[in-house]
Coordinates of all heavy atoms in Angstrom, one line a residue:
L1 N -48.9 12.8 32.1 CA -48.3 12.6 30.8 C -49.0 11.5 30.0 O -49.6 10.6 30.6 CB -46.8 12.2 30.9 CG -45.9 13.3 31.6 CD1 -44.4 12.9 31.4 CD2 -46.1 14.7 31.0
P2 N -49.0 11.6 28.6 CA -49.8 10.6 27.9 C -49.0 9.3 27.9 O -47.8 9.2 28.0 CB -49.7 11.3 26.4 CG -48.5 12.2 26.4 CD -48.5 12.6 27.8
E3 N -49.8 8.2 27.8 CA -49.1 6.9 27.6 C -48.4 6.8 26.2 O -48.9 7.4 25.3 CB -50.3 5.8 27.7 CG -51.0 5.8 29.1 CD -50.0 5.3 30.2 OE1 -49.0 4.6 29.9 OE2 -50.3 5.5 31.4
N4 N -47.4 6.0 26.2 CA -46.6 5.9 25.0 C -46.5 4.5 24.5 O -46.1 4.3 23.3 CB -45.2 6.4 25.3 CG -44.6 7.1 24.0 OD1 -45.3 7.6 23.2 ND2 -43.3 7.2 24.0
F5 N -47.1 3.4 25.2 CA -47.0 2.2 24.7 C -48.3 1.4 25.2 O -48.7 1.7 26.2 CB -45.8 1.4 25.3 CG -44.4 1.8 24.7 CD1 -43.7 2.9 25.4 CD2 -43.9 1.3 23.6 CE1 -42.5 3.3 24.8 CE2 -42.7 1.8 23.0 CZ -42.1 2.8 23.6
N6 N -48.7 0.5 24.3 CA -49.9 -0.3 24.7 C -49.7 -1.8 24.1 O -50.3 -2.0 23.1 CB -51.1 0.3 24.1 CG -52.4 -0.5 24.4 OD1 -52.4 -1.2 25.4 ND2 -53.4 -0.3 23.7
S7 N -48.8 -2.5 24.7 CA -48.5 -3.9 24.2 C -48.3 -4.0 22.8 O -49.1 -4.7 22.1 CB -49.6 -4.8 24.8 OG -49.8 -4.8 26.1
P8 N -47.3 -3.3 22.2 CA -47.3 -3.2 20.8 C -47.0 -4.5 20.0 O -47.4 -4.8 18.9 CB -46.1 -2.3 20.5 CG -45.3 -2.3 21.9 CD -46.3 -2.6 22.9
Y9 N -46.3 -5.5 20.7 CA -45.9 -6.8 20.0 C -47.1 -7.7 20.0 O -47.1 -8.8 19.4 CB -44.8 -7.4 20.8 CG -43.5 -6.7 20.5 CD1 -42.4 -6.8 21.4 CD2 -43.3 -6.0 19.3 CE1 -41.3 -6.1 21.2 CE2 -42.0 -5.4 19.0 CZ -41.0 -5.3 20.0 OH -39.8 -4.7 19.8
L10 N -48.3 -7.3 20.6 CA -49.5 -8.2 20.4 C -50.4 -7.6 19.3 O -51.5 -8.0 19.1 CB -50.3 -8.2 21.7 CG -49.5 -8.7 23.0 CD1 -50.4 -8.7 24.2 CD2 -49.0 -10.1 22.7
S11 N -49.8 -6.7 18.4 CA -50.6 -6.2 17.3 C -50.7 -7.2 16.2 O -49.9 -8.0 15.9 CB -49.8 -4.9 16.8 OG -49.5 -4.0 17.8
R12 N -51.9 -7.1 15.5 CA -52.2 -8.0 14.4 C -51.7 -7.5 13.0 O -51.9 -8.2 12.0 CB -53.7 -8.4 14.3 CG -54.1 -9.2 15.6 CD -55.6 -9.2 15.6 NE -56.2 -8.0 15.8 CZ -57.5 -7.8 15.6 NH1 -58.3 -8.7 15.3 NH2 -58.0 -6.5 15.8
S13 N -51.2 -6.3 12.9 CA -50.7 -5.7 11.8 C -49.7 -4.6 12.1 O -49.7 -4.2 13.2 CB -51.9 -5.1 10.9 OG -52.5 -4.0 11.6
V14 N -49.0 -4.2 11.1 CA -48.0 -3.1 11.4 C -48.7 -1.8 11.5 O -48.3 -1.0 12.3 CB -46.9 -3.1 10.2 CG1 -46.0 -1.9 10.4 CG2 -46.1 -4.3 10.0
T15 N -49.8 -1.7 10.9 CA -50.7 -0.4 11.2 C -51.1 -0.3 12.6 O -51.0 0.7 13.2 CB -52.0 -0.5 10.2 OG1 -51.6 -0.5 8.8 CG2 -52.8 0.7 10.5
E16 N -51.6 -1.5 13.2 CA -51.9 -1.5 14.6 C -50.6 -1.4 15.4 O -50.7 -0.7 16.5 CB -52.7 -2.8 15.0 CG -53.1 -2.9 16.3 CD -53.9 -4.2 16.7 OE1 -54.0 -5.0 15.8 OE2 -54.0 -4.5 17.8
F17 N -49.5 -1.9 15.0 CA -48.3 -1.8 15.8 C -47.9 -0.2 16.0 O -47.6 0.2 17.2 CB -47.1 -2.4 15.1 CG -45.8 -2.1 15.6 CD1 -45.3 -2.9 16.7 CD2 -45.0 -1.2 15.1 CE1 -44.2 -2.6 17.2 CE2 -43.7 -1.0 15.5 CZ -43.2 -1.6 16.7
W18 N -48.2 0.5 15.0 CA -47.8 2.0 15.1 C -48.9 2.7 15.9 O -48.7 3.9 16.2 CB -47.6 2.6 13.8 CG -46.2 2.3 13.3 CD1 -45.7 1.4 12.4 CD2 -45.0 3.0 13.8 NE1 -44.4 1.4 12.3 CE2 -43.9 2.3 13.1 CE3 -44.7 3.9 14.8 CZ2 -42.6 2.6 13.4 CZ3 -43.5 4.3 15.0 CH2 -42.3 3.7 14.4
R19 N -50.0 2.2 16.1 CA -51.0 2.7 17.0 C -50.6 2.4 18.5 O -51.2 3.0 19.4 CB -52.4 2.2 16.7 CG -52.9 2.6 15.3 CD -54.4 2.3 15.2 NE -54.8 2.6 13.8 CZ -55.4 1.7 13.0 NH1 -55.5 0.4 13.4 NH2 -55.7 2.0 11.8
R20 N -49.7 1.4 18.8 CA -49.4 1.0 20.1 C -47.9 1.3 20.4 O -47.6 1.2 21.6 CB -49.6 -0.6 20.2 CG -51.1 -1.0 20.1 CD -51.1 -2.5 19.8 NE -52.4 -3.2 19.9 CZ -52.7 -4.0 20.9 NH1 -51.9 -4.2 21.8 NH2 -53.9 -4.5 20.9
W21 N -47.1 1.5 19.4 CA -45.7 1.8 19.8 C -45.3 3.2 19.7 O -45.7 3.9 18.6 CB -44.8 1.0 18.7 CG -43.4 1.3 18.8 CD1 -42.7 2.3 18.3 CD2 -42.4 0.6 19.5 NE1 -41.4 2.3 18.5 CE2 -41.1 1.2 19.4 CE3 -42.4 -0.6 20.4 CZ2 -39.9 0.8 19.9 CZ3 -41.2 -1.1 20.9 CH2 -40.1 -0.4 20.7
H22 N -44.6 3.8 20.7 CA -44.3 5.2 20.6 C -45.4 6.0 20.1 O -45.4 6.7 19.1 CB -43.0 5.4 19.8 CG -42.3 6.6 20.1 ND1 -42.8 7.7 20.9 CD2 -41.0 7.0 19.8 CE1 -41.7 8.5 21.1 NE2 -40.7 8.2 20.3
I23 N -46.6 5.9 20.8 CA -47.7 6.5 20.4 C -47.7 7.9 20.1 O -48.3 8.4 19.1 CB -48.9 6.2 21.4 CG1 -49.1 4.6 21.5 CG2 -50.2 6.9 21.0 CD1 -49.9 4.3 22.8
T24 N -46.9 8.7 20.9 CA -46.9 10.2 20.8 C -46.1 10.6 19.6 O -46.4 11.6 18.9 CB -46.2 10.8 22.1 OG1 -45.0 10.2 22.2 CG2 -47.1 10.6 23.2
L25 N -45.1 9.7 19.1 CA -44.4 10.0 18.0 C -45.3 9.7 16.7 O -45.3 10.4 15.7 CB -43.1 9.3 17.9 CG -42.3 9.4 16.6 CD1 -41.8 10.8 16.3 CD2 -41.1 8.4 16.4
S26 N -45.9 8.5 16.7 CA -46.7 8.1 15.6 C -47.8 9.0 15.3 O -48.2 9.3 14.1 CB -47.2 6.6 15.8 OG -47.9 6.5 16.9
T27 N -48.5 9.5 16.3 CA -49.6 10.6 16.1 C -49.0 11.8 15.6 O -49.6 12.5 14.8 CB -50.3 10.8 17.4 OG1 -49.4 11.1 18.5 CG2 -51.1 9.6 17.8
W28 N -47.7 12.2 16.0 CA -47.1 13.3 15.6 C -46.9 13.3 14.0 O -47.1 14.2 13.3 CB -45.8 13.6 16.3 CG -45.2 15.1 16.2 CD1 -45.4 16.1 17.0 CD2 -44.5 15.6 15.0 NE1 -44.8 17.2 16.5 CE2 -44.2 16.9 15.3 CE3 -44.0 14.9 13.9 CZ2 -43.4 17.7 14.4 CZ3 -43.2 15.8 13.0 CH2 -43.0 17.2 13.3
L29 N -46.3 12.1 13.6 CA -46.0 11.8 12.3 C -47.3 11.9 11.4 O -47.3 12.4 10.3 CB -45.3 10.5 12.1 CG -43.9 10.4 12.7 CD1 -43.3 9.0 12.6 CD2 -42.9 11.3 11.9
R30 N -48.3 11.3 12.0 CA -49.6 11.2 11.3 C -50.1 12.6 11.0 O -50.6 13.0 10.0 CB -50.6 10.3 12.1 CG -52.0 10.3 11.4 CD -53.0 9.8 12.5 NE -53.2 10.8 13.6 CZ -53.7 10.5 14.8 NH1 -54.1 9.3 15.0 NH2 -53.8 11.5 15.7
D31 N -50.2 13.4 12.1 CA -50.8 14.7 12.1 C -50.1 15.8 11.3 O -50.7 16.6 10.6 CB -51.1 15.3 13.6 CG -52.1 14.4 14.3 OD1 -52.7 13.6 13.6 OD2 -52.1 14.6 15.5

């Protein structure tokens, strides 16, 4: 299964946060 988190609270921007938090949902919303 795909990874869904990548240390989101270590992000340097909210844009980066959404690349690290609930990754499968954020990519769904993007696409």
